[in-house]
Amino acid sequence: MRRIAVMAHYDANGLLDPYLMPFVRQLSQLCEKVFIVSTSGVTNDWVSQFSNVYVFQRENIGYDFCSYKFGLDQVDGLHSYHQLIICNDSFYTLDHFSLDKLLTAASKEADIVGLTDNYQFSYHLQSYFLVFNQRALHSKWFASFWSNVQPLKNKMQIIWRCEIGLSQTALMAGLTLSALYKPLNTKVGHIKSRILNKFLGAANPTHMNAPKVAKELGVAKVDLFRLNISSKPIEQFIGKDSSVFSLINEHSNRTSSYYKKQHILKNVNSVSSSIFDYVATSGSKSRVAVVLHLYHVDLAREIMAHLERIPENFDLFISICDYAELNN
């Protein structure tokens, strides 16, 4: 099987951090070519040990989807490949992470496969790791979607048009989607599983079900530790005797101090007006408005339990922390 991979990269210090090395090694072993697209510049060159890994630089605009598009534009004969991987550097790979196992499973799952899916706003595969199998890769939808990806400064627009837009337009085009992490028994049935997962609160499994995702897939999102989203210490995910523990711990400590400083320097009390761009209108009028800034998404179920006690109809406006804005 002919495979190719595109990785979006950003680092505050312009480094290809060593924690990426085990993952890049597996990519290089299983793909004909690996294109790393950096928006921060790269000052170290350990990738030179991999003859089929190439690093490209581009301006820091447009977030990951513009990096993915840039990388795809560098591929000659994309239609000759059977499988495409797009991913970013926002997750750690643990000792038991097996790209070969995941890609083999992905080839049998659906046309487009992610590690995890998400029910926030609308159903979608999370874009930190996606696999496009042959039917999706060679479809008219694929060419049309990527040709319409444009630089956007508004994070909510990116979520809707790119991450959610990718999944929703693919479904409308008749393509099949699936996630490798399945929190519920697959015997329940696909549609019922989606509904149950949504109302069980598994909106973002990389945060809310992080230990299970780490155990089953061998990945843990960087922000679990860098932004203190996880209440569990890093040792709960990665044993101190792990071959990658020191790499992950060093990266988390280095970048945490930078992002905490950036957070303080910014006006963290400001709420983007973009949340009002996506308000769903209803036929009934409400006298009450609830404005919720959901910084810790794992509290969503608890907050909803309180909101349900409001005795009359209300409009709900939800904003989430713009992590990507903090990263730039």
Side-chain angles (χ1 to χ4, degrees):
M1 178 181 288
R2 298 192 66 195
R3 294 190 184 101
I4 193 163
V6 174
M7 174 189 289
H9 167 268
Y10 175 84
D11 185 271
N13 303 116
L15 299 175
L16 275 171
D17 196 278
Y19 83 86
L20 288 167
M21 192 180 298
F23 180 44
V24 172
R25 179 179 292 110
Q26 291 194 43
L27 285 172
S28 70
Q29 292 170 346
L30 296 170
C31 300
E32 289 189 10
K33 294 180 180 179
V34 179
F35 292 167
I36 299 176
V37 181
S38 177
T39 56
S40 62
V42 173
T43 57
N44 54 338
D45 62 352
W46 54 257
V47 292
S48 61
Q49 66 183 277
F50 305 112
S51 61
N52 62 339
V53 178
Y54 307 88
V55 178
F56 298 88
Q57 313 288 338
R58 75 170 190 87
E59 189 178 357
N60 187 17
I61 58 172
Y63 299 93
D64 288 347
F65 271 86
C66 281
S67 289
Y68 295 154
K69 181 178 180 178
F70 181 96
L72 292 174
D73 288 342
Q74 313 311 309
V75 180
D76 292 327
L78 184 60
H79 282 75
S80 65
Y81 289 91
H82 303 104
Q83 202 170 53
L84 163 72
I85 304 163
I86 64 170
C87 57
N88 61 29
D89 59 351
S90 69
F91 61 97
Y92 297 125
T93 55
L94 312 183
D95 281 337
H96 61 287
F97 174 81
S98 171
L99 183 61
D100 188 18
K101 181 179 178 180
L102 294 177
L103 292 179
T104 299
S107 66
K108 303 172 183 177
E109 279 279 330
D111 298 320
I112 308 173
V113 181
L115 293 185
T116 52
D117 50 17
N118 190 308
Y119 296 85
Q120 292 175 318
F121 306 111
S122 185
Y123 176 79
H124 60 283
L125 299 175
Q126 294 186 277
S127 60
Y128 66 92
F129 186 100
L130 292 173
V131 178
F132 296 83
N133 288 315
Q134 195 167 5
R135 183 167 176 259
L137 186 57
H138 298 173
S139 67
K140 291 182 180 179
W141 164 85
F142 184 90
S144 175
F145 174 82
W146 290 105
S147 67
N148 287 317
V149 170
Q150 302 295 331
L152 297 168
K153 293 183 180 180
N154 186 303
K155 180 66 183 298
M156 286 301 297
Q157 288 180 323
I158 293 168
I159 291 173
W160 279 95
R161 295 185 189 180
C162 296
E163 184 163 64
I164 295 175
L166 185 151
S167 292
Q168 290 297 315
T169 57
L171 288 170
M172 287 188 288
L175 298 172
T176 57
L177 277 62
S178 183
L180 295 181
Y181 172 71
K182 296 177 173 60
L184 290 178
N185 192 320
T186 55
K187 293 181 181 179
V188 173
H190 186 62
I191 300 299
K192 190 175 180 181
S193 176
R194 284 190 178 186
I195 296 172
L196 288 174
N197 279 327
K198 180 175 181 179
F199 288 98
L200 284 173
N204 187 348
T206 66
H207 292 168
M208 303 175 79
N209 296 339
K212 292 182 180 179
V213 171
K215 181 179 180 180
E216 292 187 22
L217 301 179
V219 301
K221 293 285 281 184
V222 170
D223 283 347
L224 285 172
F225 316 111
R226 187 164 67 192
L227 295 178
N228 297 319
I229 292 174
S230 173
S231 59
K232 299 180 184 297
I234 194 170
E235 291 85 356
Q236 292 287 325
F237 294 81
I238 314 148
K240 289 187 177 181
D241 58 346
S242 165
S243 62
V244 296
F245 177 82
S246 61
L247 296 178
I248 292 174
N249 199 42
E250 288 171 9
H251 173 260
S252 180
N253 290 336
R254 173 176 67 84
T255 57
S256 290
S257 60
Y258 172 82
Y259 290 117
K260 285 177 182 177
K261 181 180 178 181
Q262 293 300 307
H263 199 170
I264 293 172
L265 291 175
K266 290 180 182 289
N267 180 8
V268 296
N269 293 320
S270 64
V271 179
S272 171
S273 62
S274 65
I275 61 170
F276 298 104
D277 295 338
Y278 303 104
V279 176
T281 58
S282 66
S284 57
K285 294 182 179 180
S286 301
R287 298 187 306 109
V288 178
V290 177
V291 179
L292 167 63
H293 181 61
L294 190 62
Y295 184 87
H296 295 289
V297 294
D298 56 334
L299 294 177
R301 293 177 68 186
E302 180 179 338
I303 293 171
M304 285 305 298
H306 292 289
L307 291 177
E308 288 173 354
R309 295 172 185 166
I310 297 176
E312 64 178 281
N313 202 29
F314 62 92
D315 292 326
L316 175 62
F317 302 87
I318 304 175
S319 65
I320 59 175
C321 184
D322 193 345
Y323 295 120
E325 180 64 22
L326 299 179
N327 293 351
N328 293 320

